[in-house]
PDB file of all heavy atoms in Angstrom:
ATOM      1  N   TRP A   1     -96.828  -8.783  24.614  1.00 96.00           N
ATOM      2  CA  TRP A   1     -97.106  -7.579  25.467  1.00 96.00           C
ATOM      3  C   TRP A   1     -97.018  -7.986  26.948  1.00 96.00           C
ATOM      4  O   TRP A   1     -96.449  -7.230  27.728  1.00 96.00           O
ATOM      5  CB  TRP A   1     -98.468  -6.944  25.150  1.00 96.00           C
ATOM      6  CG  TRP A   1     -98.467  -6.080  23.947  1.00 96.00           C
ATOM      7  CD1 TRP A   1     -99.249  -6.297  22.798  1.00 96.00           C
ATOM      8  CD2 TRP A   1     -97.740  -4.897  23.669  1.00 96.00           C
ATOM      9  NE1 TRP A   1     -99.112  -5.291  21.914  1.00 96.00           N
ATOM     10  CE2 TRP A   1     -98.110  -4.472  22.418  1.00 96.00           C
ATOM     11  CE3 TRP A   1     -96.760  -4.226  24.382  1.00 96.00           C
ATOM     12  CZ2 TRP A   1     -97.568  -3.298  21.820  1.00 96.00           C
ATOM     13  CZ3 TRP A   1     -96.227  -3.057  23.815  1.00 96.00           C
ATOM     14  CH2 TRP A   1     -96.646  -2.656  22.537  1.00 96.00           C
ATOM     15  N   SER A   2     -97.569  -9.082  27.262  1.00 95.00           N
ATOM     16  CA  SER A   2     -97.553  -9.541  28.682  1.00 95.00           C
ATOM     17  C   SER A   2     -96.129  -9.773  29.127  1.00 95.00           C
ATOM     18  O   SER A   2     -95.771  -9.472  30.259  1.00 95.00           O
ATOM     19  CB  SER A   2     -98.391 -10.789  28.805  1.00 95.00           C
ATOM     20  OG  SER A   2     -98.381 -11.264  30.135  1.00 95.00           O
ATOM     21  N   ALA A   3     -95.306 -10.336  28.278  1.00 93.00           N
ATOM     22  CA  ALA A   3     -93.895 -10.632  28.565  1.00 93.00           C
ATOM     23  C   ALA A   3     -93.140  -9.308  28.857  1.00 93.00           C
ATOM     24  O   ALA A   3     -92.152  -9.305  29.563  1.00 93.00           O
ATOM     25  CB  ALA A   3     -93.229 -11.455  27.505  1.00 93.00           C
ATOM     26  N   GLU A   4     -93.580  -8.264  28.199  1.00 94.00           N
ATOM     27  CA  GLU A   4     -93.028  -6.963  28.389  1.00 94.00           C
ATOM     28  C   GLU A   4     -93.523  -6.230  29.614  1.00 94.00           C
ATOM     29  O   GLU A   4     -93.193  -5.065  29.870  1.00 94.00           O
ATOM     30  CB  GLU A   4     -93.137  -6.117  27.165  1.00 94.00           C
ATOM     31  CG  GLU A   4     -92.393  -6.666  25.979  1.00 94.00           C
ATOM     32  CD  GLU A   4     -92.494  -5.816  24.734  1.00 94.00           C
ATOM     33  OE1 GLU A   4     -92.960  -4.612  24.881  1.00 94.00           O
ATOM     34  OE2 GLU A   4     -92.155  -6.301  23.695  1.00 94.00           O
ATOM     35  N   GLY A   5     -94.399  -6.920  30.337  1.00 94.00           N
ATOM     36  CA  GLY A   5     -94.886  -6.347  31.653  1.00 94.00           C
ATOM     37  C   GLY A   5     -96.199  -5.633  31.544  1.00 94.00           C
ATOM     38  O   GLY A   5     -96.649  -4.996  32.488  1.00 94.00           O
ATOM     39  N   LYS A   6     -96.805  -5.625  30.386  1.00 95.00           N
ATOM     40  CA  LYS A   6     -98.074  -4.856  30.245  1.00 95.00           C
ATOM     41  C   LYS A   6     -99.257  -5.623  30.868  1.00 95.00           C
ATOM     42  O   LYS A   6     -99.443  -6.821  30.621  1.00 95.00           O
ATOM     43  CB  LYS A   6     -98.380  -4.672  28.746  1.00 95.00           C
ATOM     44  CG  LYS A   6     -97.347  -3.897  27.959  1.00 95.00           C
ATOM     45  CD  LYS A   6     -97.325  -2.426  28.326  1.00 95.00           C
ATOM     46  CE  LYS A   6     -96.375  -1.678  27.471  1.00 95.00           C
ATOM     47  NZ  LYS A   6     -96.035  -0.313  28.087  1.00 95.00           N
ATOM     48  N   PRO A   7    -100.099  -4.938  31.653  1.00 95.00           N
ATOM     49  CA  PRO A   7    -101.275  -5.536  32.201  1.00 95.00           C
ATOM     50  C   PRO A   7    -102.304  -5.727  31.075  1.00 95.00           C
ATOM     51  O   PRO A   7    -102.224  -5.041  30.050  1.00 95.00           O
ATOM     52  CB  PRO A   7    -101.714  -4.620  33.312  1.00 95.00           C
ATOM     53  CG  PRO A   7    -101.100  -3.329  33.035  1.00 95.00           C
ATOM     54  CD  PRO A   7     -99.851  -3.618  32.201  1.00 95.00           C
ATOM     55  N   MET A   8    -103.259  -6.535  31.317  1.00 95.00           N
ATOM     56  CA  MET A   8    -104.331  -6.844  30.317  1.00 95.00           C
ATOM     57  C   MET A   8    -105.035  -5.580  29.848  1.00 95.00           C
ATOM     58  O   MET A   8    -105.364  -5.432  28.711  1.00 95.00           O
ATOM     59  CB  MET A   8    -105.235  -7.918  30.796  1.00 95.00           C
ATOM     60  CG  MET A   8    -104.687  -9.319  30.733  1.00 95.00           C
ATOM     61  SD  MET A   8    -105.903 -10.613  30.913  1.00 95.00           S
ATOM     62  CE  MET A   8    -105.765 -10.897  32.654  1.00 95.00           C
ATOM     63  N   LYS A   9    -105.306  -4.713  30.783  1.00 96.00           N
ATOM     64  CA  LYS A   9    -106.046  -3.469  30.403  1.00 96.00           C
ATOM     65  C   LYS A   9    -105.202  -2.618  29.416  1.00 96.00           C
ATOM     66  O   LYS A   9    -105.764  -2.083  28.467  1.00 96.00           O
ATOM     67  CB  LYS A   9    -106.417  -2.604  31.698  1.00 96.00           C
ATOM     68  CG  LYS A   9    -107.573  -3.104  32.467  1.00 96.00           C
ATOM     69  CD  LYS A   9    -107.925  -2.134  33.557  1.00 96.00           C
ATOM     70  CE  LYS A   9    -109.175  -2.642  34.284  1.00 96.00           C
ATOM     71  NZ  LYS A   9    -109.618  -1.701  35.311  1.00 96.00           N
ATOM     72  N   SER A  10    -103.881  -2.564  29.642  1.00 97.00           N
ATOM     73  CA  SER A  10    -103.010  -1.820  28.752  1.00 97.00           C
ATOM     74  C   SER A  10    -102.923  -2.502  27.434  1.00 97.00           C
ATOM     75  O   SER A  10    -102.942  -1.849  26.362  1.00 97.00           O
ATOM     76  CB  SER A  10    -101.658  -1.701  29.323  1.00 97.00           C
ATOM     77  OG  SER A  10    -101.679  -0.912  30.544  1.00 97.00           O
ATOM     78  N   ILE A  11    -102.875  -3.813  27.407  1.00 96.00           N
ATOM     79  CA  ILE A  11    -102.816  -4.571  26.127  1.00 96.00           C
ATOM     80  C   ILE A  11    -104.074  -4.305  25.359  1.00 96.00           C
ATOM     81  O   ILE A  11    -104.070  -4.069  24.127  1.00 96.00           O
ATOM     82  CB  ILE A  11    -102.620  -6.092  26.402  1.00 96.00           C
ATOM     83  CG1 ILE A  11    -101.306  -6.392  27.088  1.00 96.00           C
ATOM     84  CG2 ILE A  11    -102.708  -6.889  25.067  1.00 96.00           C
ATOM     85  CD1 ILE A  11    -101.155  -7.799  27.560  1.00 96.00           C
ATOM     86  N   ALA A  12    -105.221  -4.329  26.048  1.00 97.00           N
ATOM     87  CA  ALA A  12    -106.486  -4.068  25.396  1.00 97.00           C
ATOM     88  C   ALA A  12    -106.474  -2.665  24.717  1.00 97.00           C
ATOM     89  O   ALA A  12    -106.944  -2.509  23.571  1.00 97.00           O
ATOM     90  CB  ALA A  12    -107.641  -4.138  26.372  1.00 97.00           C
ATOM     91  N   THR A  13    -105.996  -1.656  25.386  1.00 97.00           N
ATOM     92  CA  THR A  13    -105.915  -0.317  24.854  1.00 97.00           C
ATOM     93  C   THR A  13    -104.947  -0.233  23.679  1.00 97.00           C
ATOM     94  O   THR A  13    -105.301   0.288  22.654  1.00 97.00           O
ATOM     95  CB  THR A  13    -105.472   0.697  25.952  1.00 97.00           C
ATOM     96  OG1 THR A  13    -106.439   0.622  27.077  1.00 97.00           O
ATOM     97  CG2 THR A  13    -105.426   2.106  25.452  1.00 97.00           C
ATOM     98  N   LEU A  14    -103.783  -0.798  23.838  1.00 96.00           N
ATOM     99  CA  LEU A  14    -102.768  -0.767  22.794  1.00 96.00           C
ATOM    100  C   LEU A  14    -103.217  -1.455  21.523  1.00 96.00           C
ATOM    101  O   LEU A  14    -102.965  -0.989  20.385  1.00 96.00           O
ATOM    102  CB  LEU A  14    -101.521  -1.445  23.298  1.00 96.00           C
ATOM    103  CG  LEU A  14    -100.613  -0.665  24.277  1.00 96.00           C
ATOM    104  CD1 LEU A  14     -99.628  -1.579  24.921  1.00 96.00           C
ATOM    105  CD2 LEU A  14     -99.938   0.506  23.619  1.00 96.00           C
ATOM    106  N   GLU A  15    -103.921  -2.539  21.654  1.00 96.00           N
ATOM    107  CA  GLU A  15    -104.366  -3.306  20.490  1.00 96.00           C
ATOM    108  C   GLU A  15    -105.839  -3.114  20.092  1.00 96.00           C
ATOM    109  O   GLU A  15    -106.377  -3.776  19.228  1.00 96.00           O
ATOM    110  CB  GLU A  15    -104.122  -4.834  20.761  1.00 96.00           C
ATOM    111  CG  GLU A  15    -102.693  -5.170  20.905  1.00 96.00           C
ATOM    112  CD  GLU A  15    -101.848  -4.786  19.635  1.00 96.00           C
ATOM    113  OE1 GLU A  15    -102.375  -4.876  18.522  1.00 96.00           O
ATOM    114  OE2 GLU A  15    -100.624  -4.432  19.833  1.00 96.00           O
ATOM    115  N   ASN A  16    -106.487  -2.133  20.693  1.00 96.00           N
ATOM    116  CA  ASN A  16    -107.875  -1.786  20.421  1.00 96.00           C
ATOM    117  C   ASN A  16    -108.791  -2.993  20.507  1.00 96.00           C
ATOM    118  O   ASN A  16    -109.533  -3.305  19.631  1.00 96.00           O
ATOM    119  CB  ASN A  16    -107.935  -1.138  18.988  1.00 96.00           C
ATOM    120  CG  ASN A  16    -109.240  -0.404  18.822  1.00 96.00           C
ATOM    121  OD1 ASN A  16    -109.906   0.058  19.786  1.00 96.00           O
ATOM    122  ND2 ASN A  16    -109.690  -0.275  17.577  1.00 96.00           N
ATOM    123  N   MET A  17    -108.592  -3.708  21.592  1.00 96.00           N
ATOM    124  CA  MET A  17    -109.453  -4.883  21.916  1.00 96.00           C
ATOM    125  C   MET A  17    -110.154  -4.651  23.267  1.00 96.00           C
ATOM    126  O   MET A  17    -109.705  -3.800  24.023  1.00 96.00           O
ATOM    127  CB  MET A  17    -108.592  -6.148  22.059  1.00 96.00           C
ATOM    128  CG  MET A  17    -107.826  -6.622  20.910  1.00 96.00           C
ATOM    129  SD  MET A  17    -106.934  -8.126  21.426  1.00 96.00           S
ATOM    130  CE  MET A  17    -105.617  -8.131  20.244  1.00 96.00           C
ATOM    131  N   SER A  18    -111.117  -5.414  23.545  1.00 97.00           N
ATOM    132  CA  SER A  18    -111.746  -5.340  24.860  1.00 97.00           C
ATOM    133  C   SER A  18    -110.907  -6.179  25.813  1.00 97.00           C
ATOM    134  O   SER A  18    -110.122  -6.990  25.466  1.00 97.00           O
ATOM    135  CB  SER A  18    -113.144  -5.955  24.801  1.00 97.00           C
ATOM    136  OG  SER A  18    -113.133  -7.317  24.627  1.00 97.00           O
ATOM    137  N   PHE A  19    -111.018  -5.849  27.110  1.00 96.00           N
ATOM    138  CA  PHE A  19    -110.339  -6.604  28.146  1.00 96.00           C
ATOM    139  C   PHE A  19    -110.634  -8.062  28.028  1.00 96.00           C
ATOM    140  O   PHE A  19    -109.744  -8.932  28.227  1.00 96.00           O
ATOM    141  CB  PHE A  19    -110.741  -6.027  29.516  1.00 96.00           C
ATOM    142  CG  PHE A  19    -110.122  -6.799  30.669  1.00 96.00           C
ATOM    143  CD1 PHE A  19    -108.841  -6.477  31.107  1.00 96.00           C
ATOM    144  CD2 PHE A  19    -110.804  -7.846  31.289  1.00 96.00           C
ATOM    145  CE1 PHE A  19    -108.275  -7.182  32.176  1.00 96.00           C
ATOM    146  CE2 PHE A  19    -110.187  -8.552  32.342  1.00 96.00           C
ATOM    147  CZ  PHE A  19    -108.951  -8.168  32.752  1.00 96.00           C
ATOM    148  N   ALA A  20    -111.951  -8.378  27.818  1.00 97.00           N
ATOM    149  CA  ALA A  20    -112.378  -9.785  27.714  1.00 97.00           C
ATOM    150  C   ALA A  20    -111.686 -10.518  26.576  1.00 97.00           C
ATOM    151  O   ALA A  20    -111.362 -11.694  26.739  1.00 97.00           O
ATOM    152  CB  ALA A  20    -113.888  -9.841  27.560  1.00 97.00           C
ATOM    153  N   THR A  21    -111.490  -9.826  25.469  1.00 97.00           N
ATOM    154  CA  THR A  21    -110.824 -10.414  24.306  1.00 97.00           C
ATOM    155  C   THR A  21    -109.367 -10.727  24.614  1.00 97.00           C
ATOM    156  O   THR A  21    -108.845 -11.822  24.327  1.00 97.00           O
ATOM    157  CB  THR A  21    -110.917  -9.549  23.063  1.00 97.00           C
ATOM    158  OG1 THR A  21    -112.304  -9.325  22.795  1.00 97.00           O
ATOM    159  CG2 THR A  21    -110.225 -10.174  21.841  1.00 97.00           C
ATOM    160  N   VAL A  22    -108.675  -9.800  25.236  1.00 97.00           N
ATOM    161  CA  VAL A  22    -107.297 -10.032  25.691  1.00 97.00           C
ATOM    162  C   VAL A  22    -107.195 -11.229  26.659  1.00 97.00           C
ATOM    163  O   VAL A  22    -106.395 -12.132  26.510  1.00 97.00           O
ATOM    164  CB  VAL A  22    -106.655  -8.752  26.297  1.00 97.00           C
ATOM    165  CG1 VAL A  22    -105.281  -9.040  26.904  1.00 97.00           C
ATOM    166  CG2 VAL A  22    -106.612  -7.668  25.238  1.00 97.00           C
ATOM    167  N   ASN A  23    -108.115 -11.229  27.626  1.00 97.00           N
ATOM    168  CA  ASN A  23    -108.172 -12.278  28.605  1.00 97.00           C
ATOM    169  C   ASN A  23    -108.422 -13.634  27.926  1.00 97.00           C
ATOM    170  O   ASN A  23    -107.760 -14.632  28.248  1.00 97.00           O
ATOM    171  CB  ASN A  23    -109.303 -11.975  29.601  1.00 97.00           C
ATOM    172  CG  ASN A  23    -109.266 -12.973  30.806  1.00 97.00           C
ATOM    173  OD1 ASN A  23    -108.250 -13.384  31.248  1.00 97.00           O
ATOM    174  ND2 ASN A  23    -110.508 -13.389  31.206  1.00 97.00           N
ATOM    175  N   PHE A  24    -109.310 -13.671  26.946  1.00 97.00           N
ATOM    176  CA  PHE A  24    -109.615 -14.880  26.174  1.00 97.00           C
ATOM    177  C   PHE A  24    -108.340 -15.407  25.472  1.00 97.00           C
ATOM    178  O   PHE A  24    -107.990 -16.541  25.538  1.00 97.00           O
ATOM    179  CB  PHE A  24    -110.704 -14.527  25.077  1.00 97.00           C
ATOM    180  CG  PHE A  24    -110.971 -15.632  24.139  1.00 97.00           C
ATOM    181  CD1 PHE A  24    -111.800 -16.700  24.457  1.00 97.00           C
ATOM    182  CD2 PHE A  24    -110.390 -15.559  22.842  1.00 97.00           C
ATOM    183  CE1 PHE A  24    -112.021 -17.701  23.545  1.00 97.00           C
ATOM    184  CE2 PHE A  24    -110.648 -16.545  21.926  1.00 97.00           C
ATOM    185  CZ  PHE A  24    -111.464 -17.624  22.263  1.00 97.00           C
ATOM    186  N   HIS A  25    -107.666 -14.493  24.750  1.00 97.00           N
ATOM    187  CA  HIS A  25    -106.416 -14.951  24.020  1.00 97.00           C
ATOM    188  C   HIS A  25    -105.300 -15.399  24.949  1.00 97.00           C
ATOM    189  O   HIS A  25    -104.675 -16.398  24.681  1.00 97.00           O
ATOM    190  CB  HIS A  25    -105.917 -13.802  23.095  1.00 97.00           C
ATOM    191  CG  HIS A  25    -106.836 -13.526  21.915  1.00 97.00           C
ATOM    192  ND1 HIS A  25    -107.219 -14.502  21.018  1.00 97.00           N
ATOM    193  CD2 HIS A  25    -107.412 -12.380  21.532  1.00 97.00           C
ATOM    194  CE1 HIS A  25    -107.944 -13.991  20.114  1.00 97.00           C
ATOM    195  NE2 HIS A  25    -108.111 -12.703  20.402  1.00 97.00           N
ATOM    196  N   LEU A  26    -105.121 -14.679  26.077  1.00 97.00           N
ATOM    197  CA  LEU A  26    -104.067 -15.098  27.051  1.00 97.00           C
ATOM    198  C   LEU A  26    -104.455 -16.392  27.702  1.00 97.00           C
ATOM    199  O   LEU A  26    -103.524 -17.267  27.916  1.00 97.00           O
ATOM    200  CB  LEU A  26    -103.826 -13.963  28.009  1.00 97.00           C
ATOM    201  CG  LEU A  26    -103.078 -12.743  27.455  1.00 97.00           C
ATOM    202  CD1 LEU A  26    -103.053 -11.647  28.541  1.00 97.00           C
ATOM    203  CD2 LEU A  26    -101.677 -13.055  27.006  1.00 97.00           C
ATOM    204  N   ASN A  27    -105.720 -16.621  28.024  1.00 97.00           N
ATOM    205  CA  ASN A  27    -106.091 -17.894  28.649  1.00 97.00           C
ATOM    206  C   ASN A  27    -105.875 -19.042  27.656  1.00 97.00           C
ATOM    207  O   ASN A  27    -105.422 -20.119  28.085  1.00 97.00           O
ATOM    208  CB  ASN A  27    -107.551 -17.837  29.163  1.00 97.00           C
ATOM    209  CG  ASN A  27    -107.626 -17.245  30.517  1.00 97.00           C
ATOM    210  OD1 ASN A  27    -106.708 -17.358  31.367  1.00 97.00           O
ATOM    211  ND2 ASN A  27    -108.742 -16.606  30.806  1.00 97.00           N
ATOM    212  N   ASN A  28    -106.270 -18.806  26.406  1.00 97.00           N
ATOM    213  CA  ASN A  28    -106.097 -19.866  25.402  1.00 97.00           C
ATOM    214  C   ASN A  28    -104.622 -20.153  25.209  1.00 97.00           C
ATOM    215  O   ASN A  28    -104.232 -21.350  25.026  1.00 97.00           O
ATOM    216  CB  ASN A  28    -106.820 -19.533  24.115  1.00 97.00           C
ATOM    217  CG  ASN A  28    -108.284 -19.697  24.256  1.00 97.00           C
ATOM    218  OD1 ASN A  28    -108.786 -20.508  25.103  1.00 97.00           O
ATOM    219  ND2 ASN A  28    -109.066 -18.958  23.456  1.00 97.00           N
ATOM    220  N   ALA A  29    -103.812 -19.145  25.195  1.00 96.00           N
ATOM    221  CA  ALA A  29    -102.354 -19.352  24.997  1.00 96.00           C
ATOM    222  C   ALA A  29    -101.789 -20.110  26.168  1.00 96.00           C
ATOM    223  O   ALA A  29    -100.953 -21.019  25.995  1.00 96.00           O
ATOM    224  CB  ALA A  29    -101.654 -17.955  24.881  1.00 96.00           C
ATOM    225  N   ARG A  30    -102.242 -19.781  27.330  1.00 95.00           N
ATOM    226  CA  ARG A  30    -101.808 -20.535  28.538  1.00 95.00           C
ATOM    227  C   ARG A  30    -102.165 -21.983  28.438  1.00 95.00           C
ATOM    228  O   ARG A  30    -101.339 -22.895  28.782  1.00 95.00           O
ATOM    229  CB  ARG A  30    -102.436 -19.858  29.827  1.00 95.00           C
ATOM    230  CG  ARG A  30    -101.915 -20.437  31.126  1.00 95.00           C
ATOM    231  CD  ARG A  30    -102.644 -19.821  32.267  1.00 95.00           C
ATOM    232  NE  ARG A  30    -104.114 -19.841  32.163  1.00 95.00           N
ATOM    233  CZ  ARG A  30    -104.843 -20.894  32.386  1.00 95.00           C
ATOM    234  NH1 ARG A  30    -104.276 -22.053  32.696  1.00 95.00           N
ATOM    235  NH2 ARG A  30    -106.159 -20.866  32.338  1.00 95.00           N
ATOM    236  N   LYS A  31    -103.376 -22.284  27.963  1.00 95.00           N
ATOM    237  CA  LYS A  31    -103.827 -23.675  27.802  1.00 95.00           C
ATOM    238  C   LYS A  31    -102.964 -24.360  26.745  1.00 95.00           C
ATOM    239  O   LYS A  31    -102.580 -25.533  26.902  1.00 95.00           O
ATOM    240  CB  LYS A  31    -105.283 -23.739  27.457  1.00 95.00           C
ATOM    241  CG  LYS A  31    -106.194 -23.344  28.604  1.00 95.00           C
ATOM    242  CD  LYS A  31    -107.626 -23.265  28.205  1.00 95.00           C
ATOM    243  CE  LYS A  31    -108.517 -22.681  29.296  1.00 95.00           C
ATOM    244  NZ  LYS A  31    -109.909 -22.454  28.907  1.00 95.00           N
ATOM    245  N   VAL A  32    -102.721 -23.707  25.660  1.00 95.00           N
ATOM    246  CA  VAL A  32    -101.977 -24.313  24.530  1.00 95.00           C
ATOM    247  C   VAL A  32    -100.547 -24.685  25.058  1.00 95.00           C
ATOM    248  O   VAL A  32    -100.032 -25.748  24.711  1.00 95.00           O
ATOM    249  CB  VAL A  32    -101.845 -23.351  23.331  1.00 95.00           C
ATOM    250  CG1 VAL A  32    -100.749 -23.860  22.374  1.00 95.00           C
ATOM    251  CG2 VAL A  32    -103.175 -23.247  22.642  1.00 95.00           C
ATOM    252  N   LEU A  33     -99.968 -23.812  25.881  1.00 94.00           N
ATOM    253  CA  LEU A  33     -98.622 -24.022  26.402  1.00 94.00           C
ATOM    254  C   LEU A  33     -98.595 -24.922  27.623  1.00 94.00           C
ATOM    255  O   LEU A  33     -97.564 -25.241  28.185  1.00 94.00           O
ATOM    256  CB  LEU A  33     -97.989 -22.692  26.741  1.00 94.00           C
ATOM    257  CG  LEU A  33     -97.702 -21.783  25.514  1.00 94.00           C
ATOM    258  CD1 LEU A  33     -97.318 -20.396  25.963  1.00 94.00           C
ATOM    259  CD2 LEU A  33     -96.646 -22.420  24.608  1.00 94.00           C
ATOM    260  N   ASP A  34     -99.814 -25.302  28.088  1.00 93.00           N
ATOM    261  CA  ASP A  34     -99.939 -26.204  29.284  1.00 93.00           C
ATOM    262  C   ASP A  34     -99.305 -25.515  30.475  1.00 93.00           C
ATOM    263  O   ASP A  34     -98.566 -26.163  31.246  1.00 93.00           O
ATOM    264  CB  ASP A  34     -99.397 -27.563  29.012  1.00 93.00           C
ATOM    265  CG  ASP A  34     -99.905 -28.554  30.058  1.00 93.00           C
ATOM    266  OD1 ASP A  34    -100.934 -28.329  30.635  1.00 93.00           O
ATOM    267  OD2 ASP A  34     -99.156 -29.532  30.338  1.00 93.00           O
ATOM    268  N   ALA A  35     -99.475 -24.213  30.628  1.00 94.00           N
ATOM    269  CA  ALA A  35     -98.877 -23.419  31.686  1.00 94.00           C
ATOM    270  C   ALA A  35     -99.936 -23.221  32.799  1.00 94.00           C
ATOM    271  O   ALA A  35    -101.096 -23.018  32.530  1.00 94.00           O
ATOM    272  CB  ALA A  35     -98.308 -22.079  31.173  1.00 94.00           C
ATOM    273  N   GLY A  36     -99.437 -23.202  34.055  1.00 93.00           N
ATOM    274  CA  GLY A  36    -100.363 -22.975  35.116  1.00 93.00           C
ATOM    275  C   GLY A  36    -100.716 -21.570  35.409  1.00 93.00           C
ATOM    276  O   GLY A  36    -101.682 -21.271  36.079  1.00 93.00           O
ATOM    277  N   SER A  37     -99.862 -20.620  34.907  1.00 94.00           N
ATOM    278  CA  SER A  37    -100.132 -19.216  35.080  1.00 94.00           C
ATOM    279  C   SER A  37     -99.697 -18.437  33.887  1.00 94.00           C
ATOM    280  O   SER A  37     -99.016 -18.968  33.031  1.00 94.00           O
ATOM    281  CB  SER A  37     -99.324 -18.754  36.310  1.00 94.00           C
ATOM    282  OG  SER A  37     -97.949 -18.779  35.987  1.00 94.00           O
ATOM    283  N   LEU A  38    -100.084 -17.210  33.793  1.00 94.00           N
ATOM    284  CA  LEU A  38     -99.732 -16.321  32.751  1.00 94.00           C
ATOM    285  C   LEU A  38     -98.224 -16.105  32.736  1.00 94.00           C
ATOM    286  O   LEU A  38     -97.558 -16.085  31.683  1.00 94.00           O
ATOM    287  CB  LEU A  38    -100.451 -15.017  32.782  1.00 94.00           C
ATOM    288  CG  LEU A  38    -100.136 -13.999  31.727  1.00 94.00           C
ATOM    289  CD1 LEU A  38    -100.376 -14.574  30.295  1.00 94.00           C
ATOM    290  CD2 LEU A  38    -101.021 -12.744  31.848  1.00 94.00           C
ATOM    291  N   ALA A  39     -97.629 -15.933  33.963  1.00 94.00           N
ATOM    292  CA  ALA A  39     -96.192 -15.727  34.060  1.00 94.00           C
ATOM    293  C   ALA A  39     -95.465 -16.938  33.489  1.00 94.00           C
ATOM    294  O   ALA A  39     -94.473 -16.791  32.808  1.00 94.00           O
ATOM    295  CB  ALA A  39     -95.805 -15.459  35.475  1.00 94.00           C
ATOM    296  N   GLN A  40     -95.914 -18.113  33.816  1.00 94.00           N
ATOM    297  CA  GLN A  40     -95.286 -19.325  33.257  1.00 94.00           C
ATOM    298  C   GLN A  40     -95.385 -19.427  31.742  1.00 94.00           C
ATOM    299  O   GLN A  40     -94.464 -19.797  31.061  1.00 94.00           O
ATOM    300  CB  GLN A  40     -95.845 -20.565  33.980  1.00 94.00           C
ATOM    301  CG  GLN A  40     -95.178 -21.852  33.487  1.00 94.00           C
ATOM    302  CD  GLN A  40     -95.776 -23.068  34.125  1.00 94.00           C
ATOM    303  OE1 GLN A  40     -96.873 -23.027  34.703  1.00 94.00           O
ATOM    304  NE2 GLN A  40     -95.104 -24.212  33.970  1.00 94.00           N
ATOM    305  N   ALA A  41     -96.569 -19.046  31.239  1.00 94.00           N
ATOM    306  CA  ALA A  41     -96.804 -19.073  29.799  1.00 94.00           C
ATOM    307  C   ALA A  41     -95.856 -18.101  29.078  1.00 94.00           C
ATOM    308  O   ALA A  41     -95.317 -18.471  28.053  1.00 94.00           O
ATOM    309  CB  ALA A  41     -98.291 -18.683  29.485  1.00 94.00           C
ATOM    310  N   THR A  42     -95.755 -16.945  29.638  1.00 94.00           N
ATOM    311  CA  THR A  42     -94.793 -15.934  28.933  1.00 94.00           C
ATOM    312  C   THR A  42     -93.364 -16.420  29.018  1.00 94.00           C
ATOM    313  O   THR A  42     -92.629 -16.250  28.043  1.00 94.00           O
ATOM    314  CB  THR A  42     -94.963 -14.515  29.505  1.00 94.00           C
ATOM    315  OG1 THR A  42     -94.716 -14.589  30.943  1.00 94.00           O
ATOM    316  CG2 THR A  42     -96.372 -13.959  29.233  1.00 94.00           C
ATOM    317  N   ALA A  43     -93.011 -16.978  30.150  1.00 93.00           N
ATOM    318  CA  ALA A  43     -91.643 -17.477  30.314  1.00 93.00           C
ATOM    319  C   ALA A  43     -91.333 -18.607  29.297  1.00 93.00           C
ATOM    320  O   ALA A  43     -90.335 -18.644  28.658  1.00 93.00           O
ATOM    321  CB  ALA A  43     -91.365 -17.922  31.718  1.00 93.00           C
ATOM    322  N   LEU A  44     -92.309 -19.525  29.234  1.00 91.00           N
ATOM    323  CA  LEU A  44     -92.181 -20.682  28.313  1.00 91.00           C
ATOM    324  C   LEU A  44     -92.134 -20.227  26.860  1.00 91.00           C
ATOM    325  O   LEU A  44     -91.286 -20.659  26.060  1.00 91.00           O
ATOM    326  CB  LEU A  44     -93.307 -21.692  28.551  1.00 91.00           C
ATOM    327  CG  LEU A  44     -93.241 -22.971  27.734  1.00 91.00           C
ATOM    328  CD1 LEU A  44     -91.917 -23.714  27.980  1.00 91.00           C
ATOM    329  CD2 LEU A  44     -94.461 -23.864  28.100  1.00 91.00           C
ATOM    330  N   ALA A  45     -93.043 -19.324  26.517  1.00 93.00           N
ATOM    331  CA  ALA A  45     -93.075 -18.843  25.138  1.00 93.00           C
ATOM    332  C   ALA A  45     -91.783 -18.098  24.724  1.00 93.00           C
ATOM    333  O   ALA A  45     -91.310 -18.263  23.653  1.00 93.00           O
ATOM    334  CB  ALA A  45     -94.331 -17.908  24.968  1.00 93.00           C
TER     335      ALA A  45
END
């Protein structure tokens, strides 16, 4: 969703999650990919 340009609030609404949960998953994905930013993580993924 982030790669498609959706902000975290929209992702939370689309997936029926809280903003904090979306933030949690995106931060963990960024760490797994060893990316410095969310944009870098989505580009790498």
